[in-house]
């Protein structure tokens, strides 16, 4: 006896025939819209052998019902299988080839190597090799292609532990490891991987710097795990979190149509902290020296915390082997001492202050407040450059410890800073640098995050290259507790494009209107001057 099953909305986007169709797990097709034709085949009460046939768009075009589908109206079509065997019912979605885009993506790999991970391999990780591991091994599902590949590499470190409880790994098992053990490279094949390039270009066909900052943080985190791993791939029960990021200056423009490589390793280790230095390199036909290919250098500081007590935890020491590694260790040691000195200097500066500079900054702002008609038309108040972005911290954005991925915060701050500079200048800005970042408070899943930005001040001494300094402050708010705390402060510097300057674009001076704003401007100017004074 033949019967019809009730019509339901299709849940799957794909049809798979185990005999005639290829393995769709190896080549997934994503559809960008959801208009569909619901197709039903007759089914028998018996259990027939699966017979699946995907009709081409050419054959579907002969159906009268396709006309209404092309007019974006879902329709129901009854089809019969001419096979002698009892046919089975299936549902599918038929898509208009003129309205939909098919985007192939890489599949999840079900192959897990039985060999122990080799951290000495110099073969870089392909940034386009993401989306391989089962989701069960990933803390979240929202990642860039590079963070996907890094989660895969990081998950291998935990596969070797198997069912061995993490608490069984003794805290005293510390060894000295050379930087080569943690060295990792990521290769972006922009010249040949169109899909990868599309995820990193902005509307002006340039690199999205926020995405690059996100990847740098992910790479630094993976390197820190490699350093803390034992030879068998197991890690001790510690938390590794980003403590700070040193100033990053773009030495040359980063293009999105040429292959790019990120390389990094641990360069310095204290008792419970380590510094990871990363290099962004991009070689062109005109590059003759390896140093000329370096576009950016970043130094990340990570700290280790005990998973149970939250206190600082000792980590593996470092054993520099080559002359270059020894030199990098000395430079990192000097930077660590300088950071401590700067913290003390900032406290003294905040207590003493500079009254003359303070009053000079507020002079023009008072005119805006008290006599706005007489204020300088080439100036603008800080409060008139402000923007804000609010979001809920979702589980898909968490790191391996269940907190929000630091690179995600950096990207969000960078994108808001870019938008702030864009609306202030009236033309698309160019990224110049991001200053030192301190991660003051962790951001947890479920927190309500508010990012507030403003143009803090401008530097107009060089008319050909004016600088726009943007401040982004991240606030973690808890409505239930009626509390709000600052988790991060980001400082970005942008300039304008040469063609915009040739078209007569001018940048206005930014002035504070309150004492609190003037104090923030002075602190940033002093920090900038101390950076420039470094050898």
């Amino acid at each position: 006896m033949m019967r019809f099953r009730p019509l339901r909305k299709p849940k799957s986007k794909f049809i798979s025939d185990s005999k005639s169709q290829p393995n769709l797990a190896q080549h997934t097709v994503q559809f960008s819209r959801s208009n569909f034709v619901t197709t039903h085949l007759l089914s028998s009460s018996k259990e027939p052998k699966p017979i699946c046939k995907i009709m081409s768009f050419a054959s579907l075009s002969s159906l009268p019902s396709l006309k209404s589908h092309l007019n974006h109206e879902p329709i129901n079509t009854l089809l019969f299988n001419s096979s002698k065997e009892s046919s089975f019912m299936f549902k599918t979605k038929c898509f208009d080839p003129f309205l939909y885009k098919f985007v192939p993506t890489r599949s999840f790999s079900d192959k897990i190597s039985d060999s122990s991970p080799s951290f000495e391999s110099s073969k870089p990780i392909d940034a386009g090799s993401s989306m391989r591991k089962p989701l069960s091994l990933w803390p979240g599902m929202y990642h860039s292609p590079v963070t996907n590949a890094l989660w895969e590499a990081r998950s291998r470190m935990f596969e070797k532990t198997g069912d061995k409880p993490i608490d069984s790994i003794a805290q005293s098992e510390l060894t000295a490891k050379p930087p080569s053990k943690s060295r990792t490279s990521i290769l972006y094949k922009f010249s040949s991987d169109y899909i990868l390039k599309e995820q990193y270009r902005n509307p002006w066909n340039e690199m999205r710097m926020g995405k690059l900052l996100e990847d740098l943080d992910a790479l630094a985190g993976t390197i820190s795990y490699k350093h803390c791993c034992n030879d068998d791939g197991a890690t001790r029960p510690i938390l590794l979190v980003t403590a700070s990021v040193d100033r990053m200056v773009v030495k040359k423009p980063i293009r999105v149509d040429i292959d790019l490589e990120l390389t990094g390793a641990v360069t310095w280790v204290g008792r419970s902290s380590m510094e990871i230095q990363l290099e962004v390199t991009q070689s062109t036909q005109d590059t003759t020296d390896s140093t000329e290919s370096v576009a950016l250098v970043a130094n990340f500081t990570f700290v280790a915390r005990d998973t149970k007590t939250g206190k600082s935890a000792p980590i593996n020491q470092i054993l520099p082997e080559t002359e270059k590694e020894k030199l990098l260790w000395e430079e990192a040691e000097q930077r660590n001492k300088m950071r401590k000195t700067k913290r003390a200097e900032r406290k003294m500066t905040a207590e003493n202050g500079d009254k003359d500079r303070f009053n000079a900054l507020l002079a023009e702002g008072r005119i805006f407040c008290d006599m706005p008609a007489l204020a300088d038309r080439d100036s603008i108040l800080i409060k008139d450059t402000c923007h804000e972005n609010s979001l809920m911290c979702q589980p898909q954005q968490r790191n391996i410890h269940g907190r929000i991925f630091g690179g995600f915060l950096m990207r969000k701050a960078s994108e808001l800073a870019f938008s702030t500079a864009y609306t202030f200048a009236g033309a698309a800005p160019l990224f110049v640098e991001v200053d030192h970042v301190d991660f003051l408070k962790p951001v947890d899943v479920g927190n309500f995050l508010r990012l507030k930005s403003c143009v803090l001040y401008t530097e107009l001494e060089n008319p050909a290259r004016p600088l726009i300094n943007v401040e982004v402050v991240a606030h973690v708010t808890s409505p239930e507790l009626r509390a709000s705390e600052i988790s991060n402060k980001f400082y970005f510097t942008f300039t304008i494009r040469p063609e915009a300057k040739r078209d007569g674009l001018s940048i206005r001076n930014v002035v504070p209107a309150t004492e609190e704003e003037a104090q923030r401007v002075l602190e940033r100017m002093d920090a900038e001057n101390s950076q420039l004074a470094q050898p």
Side-chain angles (χ1 to χ4, degrees):
M1 177 179 176
M2 309 299 288
R3 62 182 176 84
F4 290 101
R5 294 184 183 176
L7 300 178
R8 292 181 182 177
K9 184 177 178 180
K11 295 183 179 179
S12 174
K13 297 182 180 179
F14 314 109
I15 308 171
S16 176
D17 183 353
S18 59
K19 295 183 178 180
S20 60
Q21 299 300 327
N23 184 6
L24 291 182
Q26 296 181 0
H27 190 78
T28 304
V29 179
Q30 294 179 345
F31 300 93
S32 59
R33 297 179 62 181
S34 60
N35 293 358
F36 55 84
V37 180
T38 303
T39 306
H40 285 248
L41 297 185
L42 284 174
S43 70
S44 171
S45 58
K46 301 179 181 180
E47 295 183 9
K49 296 180 180 179
I51 300 176
C52 295
K53 294 184 179 181
I54 302 178
M55 301 184 66
S56 65
F57 288 106
S59 61
L60 283 174
S61 62
S62 62
L63 295 174
S65 58
L66 185 60
K67 182 177 179 181
S68 59
H69 165 58
L70 294 178
N71 292 329
H72 314 292
E73 299 177 1
I75 61 175
N76 297 327
T77 305
L78 184 64
L79 299 178
F80 297 89
N81 192 338
S82 59
S83 173
K84 294 182 179 180
E85 302 181 15
S86 298
S87 61
F88 81 113
M89 181 187 70
F90 72 96
K91 301 175 184 178
T92 184
K93 292 181 182 178
C94 299
F95 291 82
D96 181 1
F98 304 103
L99 297 178
Y100 299 94
K101 296 180 180 179
F102 304 103
V103 182
T105 62
R106 289 171 178 79
S107 62
F108 296 97
S109 173
D110 55 0
K111 296 180 179 179
I112 299 178
S113 175
D114 294 331
S115 59
S116 60
S118 175
F119 300 144
E120 300 183 35
S121 175
S122 59
K123 183 179 179 181
I125 300 174
D126 183 2
S129 66
S130 59
M131 305 291 289
R132 290 182 177 177
K133 286 289 176 182
L135 292 180
S136 59
L137 293 178
W138 295 3
M141 295 172 59
Y142 178 82
H143 301 290
S144 70
V146 170
T147 53
N148 286 343
L150 291 172
W151 279 123
E152 175 186 357
R154 194 179 297 185
S155 66
R156 290 199 196 103
M157 304 175 195
F158 298 98
E159 288 171 4
K160 292 302 296 180
T161 60
D163 298 330
K164 182 180 180 182
I166 195 67
D167 292 338
S168 65
I169 305 174
Q171 288 277 356
S172 59
E173 295 179 4
L174 298 175
T175 59
K177 303 177 69 173
S180 59
K181 289 287 187 179
S182 62
R183 185 166 288 111
T184 307
S185 298
I186 298 290
L187 180 62
Y188 298 74
K189 297 180 180 179
F190 288 142
S191 61
S192 58
D193 195 332
Y194 175 79
I195 297 175
L196 180 67
K197 181 173 70 174
E198 278 297 294
Q199 299 190 54
Y200 281 84
R201 74 175 185 91
N202 64 16
W204 299 272
N205 287 320
E206 298 169 349
M207 171 65 72
R208 290 177 58 187
M209 293 304 299
K211 293 274 287 182
L212 186 60
L213 294 177
E214 182 180 29
D215 293 344
L216 287 171
D217 183 75
L219 177 56
T222 298
I223 290 172
S224 68
Y225 270 92
K226 282 189 175 183
H227 181 77
C228 294
C229 275
N230 298 331
D231 292 335
D232 61 354
T235 54
R236 296 176 297 107
I238 56 176
L239 299 176
L240 291 170
V241 295
T242 310
S244 65
V245 183
D246 282 357
R247 184 188 189 203
M248 287 184 278
V249 181
V250 175
K251 299 181 179 180
K252 69 172 189 176
I254 301 176
R255 298 174 57 178
V256 78
D257 59 342
I258 301 177
D259 291 352
L260 186 75
E261 186 171 10
L262 310 185
T263 306
V266 175
T267 55
W268 175 89
V269 174
R271 178 186 174 276
S272 60
S273 61
M274 71 186 87
E275 181 180 291
I276 297 102
Q277 186 172 96
L278 307 174
E279 282 189 352
V280 180
T281 58
Q282 190 173 58
S283 300
T284 61
Q285 295 179 350
D286 301 330
T287 303
T288 57
D289 189 3
S290 59
T291 57
E292 296 178 359
S293 63
V294 178
L296 185 147
V297 177
N299 295 303
F300 284 73
T301 301
F302 275 69
V303 295
R305 294 286 183 264
D306 187 274
T307 55
K308 296 180 179 179
T309 65
K311 298 180 179 179
S312 61
I315 58 177
N316 294 330
Q317 292 301 299
I318 192 170
L319 186 63
E321 294 177 329
T322 66
E323 291 299 324
K324 182 179 180 180
E325 291 173 351
K326 294 177 181 179
L327 178 62
L328 290 174
W329 184 90
E330 293 175 358
E331 293 175 351
E333 176 73 13
Q334 192 66 27
R335 282 192 296 270
N336 186 57
K337 293 179 180 178
M338 194 173 297
R339 291 189 197 104
K340 296 178 180 179
T341 303
K342 284 182 179 179
R343 292 192 194 104
E345 290 177 353
R346 287 173 188 169
K347 292 181 180 180
M348 293 179 61
T349 303
E351 293 174 357
N352 299 332
D354 191 333
K355 294 297 182 183
D356 294 336
R357 295 170 62 203
F358 187 80
N359 292 328
L361 277 174
L362 281 174
E364 185 65 27
R366 291 193 180 106
I367 296 176
F368 266 94
C369 296
D370 300 336
M371 298 174 287
L374 302 178
D376 186 0
R377 297 299 96 187
D378 292 329
S379 298
I380 186 174
L381 292 175
I382 290 178
K383 67 179 183 179
D384 294 329
T385 68
C386 294
H387 289 267
E388 182 175 335
N389 184 19
S390 301
L391 64 143
M392 286 298 302
C393 297
Q394 304 294 344
Q396 292 77 19
Q397 297 143 7
R398 70 189 187 274
N399 61 19
I400 201 167
H401 302 304
R403 288 175 169 166
I404 298 304
F405 181 45
F408 172 80
L409 300 176
M410 294 178 67
R411 177 168 65 84
K412 283 296 184 181
S414 174
E415 291 172 350
L416 179 59
F418 182 93
S419 302
T420 302
Y422 192 6
T423 55
F424 170 77
L430 288 175
F431 179 90
V432 176
E433 69 178 50
V434 55
D435 205 354
H436 182 90
V437 179
D438 284 316
F439 290 81
L440 307 176
K441 176 181 173 57
V443 182
D444 296 320
V445 173
N447 283 154
F448 181 56
L449 187 67
R450 299 180 67 185
L451 298 169
K452 301 180 181 180
S453 67
C454 68
V455 178
L456 206 54
Y457 66 96
T458 55
E459 299 176 60
L460 310 177
E461 291 80 7
N462 183 2
R465 195 172 184 264
L467 299 178
I468 304 169
N469 294 274
V470 180
E471 176 190 63
V472 180
V473 183
H475 297 261
V476 177
T477 62
S478 300
E480 296 89 350
L481 302 177
R482 300 178 61 193
S484 178
E485 296 182 87
I486 294 177
S487 66
N488 304 86
K489 289 185 178 181
F490 304 90
Y491 298 95
F492 299 88
T493 302
F494 299 88
T495 187
I496 60 174
R497 302 166 188 273
E499 56 270 23
K501 192 64 180 177
R502 288 194 297 267
D503 293 339
L505 181 67
S506 61
I507 300 300
R508 302 169 74 177
N509 185 40
V510 180
V511 295
T514 65
E515 294 184 356
E516 185 270 338
E517 291 177 345
Q519 187 63 44
R520 283 158 51 198
V521 173
L522 284 178
E523 290 176 357
R524 285 310 310 151
M525 287 183 173
D526 292 340
E528 182 69 20
N529 292 333
S530 64
Q531 291 279 1
L532 297 175
Q534 292 181 13

